[in-house]
Structure formats: C-alpha cells, structure tokens
Amino acid sequence: IAGITQAPTSQILAAGRRMTLRCTQDMRHNAMYWYRQDLGLGLRLIHYSNTAGTTGKGEVPDGYSVSRANTDDFPLTLASAVPSQTSVYFCASSEVGGYNEQFFGPGTRLTVL
Amino acid sequence: DQQVKQNSPSLSVQEGRISILNCDYTNSMFDYFLWYKKYPAEGPTFLISISSIKDKNEDGRFTVFLNKSAKHLSLHIVPSQPGDSAVYFCAATGVSSGGYQKVTFGTGTKLQVIP
C-alpha cells in the first residue's frame, strides 16, 4: 500500500441498503477526512477525525457515520442509502496542525437507485 | 453560501501560453490557500499553496498570487503544457471552531491545454 486506498472503486446500490466505503492510509497521518464531490458544488466535507478514537461532523454529515478504531482506517457508512447520496466520495489524510496538504484517495463512485 | 468561488467552470489555452485560473473568497478569516489538481478517475493532488501573509508564491511553472484586499487569488501556469489539462480546485483553510483544519473548496475550473 502506498498512500491512501479506497474500496470499492464504484458501486451501484438500491435505496434503503446499508453501505460501507473503506479507506486505508499508510502514512501514519493522524487526521483523516471524507468528502463528497458533486457537479457544481466542489468538494464538501462529510466527517473528519483528528486522531484515532475521535470523529467530528463536517458540512454535510446527515445520513453518514464514521468510526476511527485505529490510525490507518476510516470507514464511512451509509445506514440507509438515498438517491441524493449518489456522488463521488474521496477519503483524505493529513498531518494534524498547521496548514498541511491533504492526500486524497482515488475515490469511490456511488450510485443509489 | 459558497465561501470560495471559482466563477469560470472551464478554460481553454494554447500550449506554451499562460493559463490564469481565478478564485474569490468571502471569509476574511481564511489564512491559508491551496490549489489542488485533479485528473479524471483520480483523487485531487496538492499543487501549490500560499499563506495570507504573502502575496506571491512560485514553484517552477506555477505561481499563485494573493490579493487580500480584493479577497482574490489566482494561479498562473507558464508555459502551459497538455499534461496540465485537469480540473483545478482552489481551497481556503483556517482552524474551525471544532479545532480541525477546515478546508473549504471551490467548485473547480476545468483547464484544457490545446497542443
């Protein structure tokens, strides 16, 4: 593993189903983030974590949950998917403190029907 | 309320010429600005940044200019190359009330460099 990996690459999901998007980094960054990218809206922060064991809400947290059991993994769960959650999801990580660049994963394209 | 705005969704430039990508922001509390570049089917990658205490930062062919009074920054690419064709996101950052590094992204500008 080099950098950040995300799985799956893409997924088509029926509305109402539960889905977990996986994210793993090997850079030992304490901070991790989940964004969604929608046309005309840029990247919007869903949830973040500054260190293992802590999480926080971003701009658009409704319908999503996260956990941070260890430094490397930061899964994003949609408990009951809705069509408005159709988007491209990016996981990112960075050093905590200061204004450090974020390193992004390749993204997961999710379609909710 | 879009605090970081990129009003040009797309830009086409001839190879060898200058590309100028613009970004405006509304929140005077932002104190650090970054540009990210994104190719299709990949995540964004960091390109260049600037602190609010500076008005210019240069890295090779890439220069970012910051005009704090106008709340405006721009990215100049000289000379432009076909490999620069990508979507460019402007981002502004500062510490949020929650204590995390809050980064607000613009909507992106798609640059096409024509050979």
Side-chain angles (χ1 to χ4, degrees):
Chain A
I1 297 178
I4 296 188
T5 58
Q6 292 184 236
T9 302
S10 65
Q11 182 74 45
I12 298 174
L13 190 65
R17 297 297 295 268
R18 180 184 178 89
M19 176 74 190
T20 295
L21 308 185
R22 300 185 297 280
C23 174
T24 299
Q25 54 109 354
D26 65 354
M27 295 174 282
R28 308 304 293 173
H29 287 160
N30 280 315
M32 296 189 75
Y33 315 86
W34 273 105
Y35 293 90
R36 58 178 290 174
Q37 183 193 4
D38 302 290
L39 193 64
L41 295 175
L43 290 157
R44 294 181 293 167
L45 182 67
I46 304 171
H47 284 288
Y48 68 94
S49 169
N50 279 339
T51 189
T54 69
T55 63
K57 295 181 179 180
E59 298 174 68
V60 288
D62 294 343
Y64 306 95
S65 64
V66 292
S67 61
R68 189 87 184 276
N70 56 62
T71 298
D72 299 343
D73 301 298
F74 191 42
L76 176 74
T77 297
L78 290 68
S80 178
V82 295
S84 62
Q85 292 177 309
T86 294
S87 187
V88 180
Y89 291 85
F90 290 100
C91 180
S93 72
S94 72
E95 300 288 352
V96 173
Y99 302 98
N100 299 292
E101 65 174 282
Q102 295 184 12
F103 293 82
F104 286 81
T108 293
R109 181 175 294 275
L110 181 66
T111 302
V112 182
L113 301 176
Chain B
D1 177 28
Q2 191 72 24
Q3 295 189 41
V4 179
K5 301 179 183 179
Q6 294 177 257
N7 292 317
S8 298
S10 63
L11 175 68
S12 290
V13 173
Q14 289 287 338
E15 181 179 3
R17 305 294 291 269
I18 184 171
S19 295
I20 300 176
L21 295 94
N22 293 303
C23 179
D24 297 293
Y25 62 97
T26 58
N27 188 342
S28 59
M29 298 304 291
F30 290 140
D31 57 4
Y32 202 75
F33 304 89
L34 309 94
W35 285 93
Y36 284 83
K37 177 179 180 179
K38 184 184 178 306
Y39 292 117
E42 295 183 10
T45 55
F46 169 74
L47 187 58
I48 192 170
S49 62
I50 188 167
S51 165
S52 61
I53 63 173
K54 296 186 176 180
D55 56 16
K56 177 182 175 181
N57 187 28
E58 188 173 355
D59 183 2
R61 296 185 297 114
F62 302 91
T63 303
V64 56
F65 295 92
L66 175 63
N67 182 334
K68 281 186 66 177
S69 61
K71 293 190 178 66
H72 176 84
L73 66 157
S74 61
L75 174 68
H76 292 210
I77 306 173
V78 182
S80 301
Q81 299 174 353
D84 296 329
S85 297
V87 176
Y88 290 79
F89 289 99
C90 170
T93 188
V95 178
S96 75
S97 57
Y100 67 92
Q101 181 189 339
K102 179 178 171 63
V103 180
T104 303
F105 285 86
T107 53
T109 296
K110 184 175 183 179
L111 173 66
Q112 181 183 20
V113 180
I114 303 166

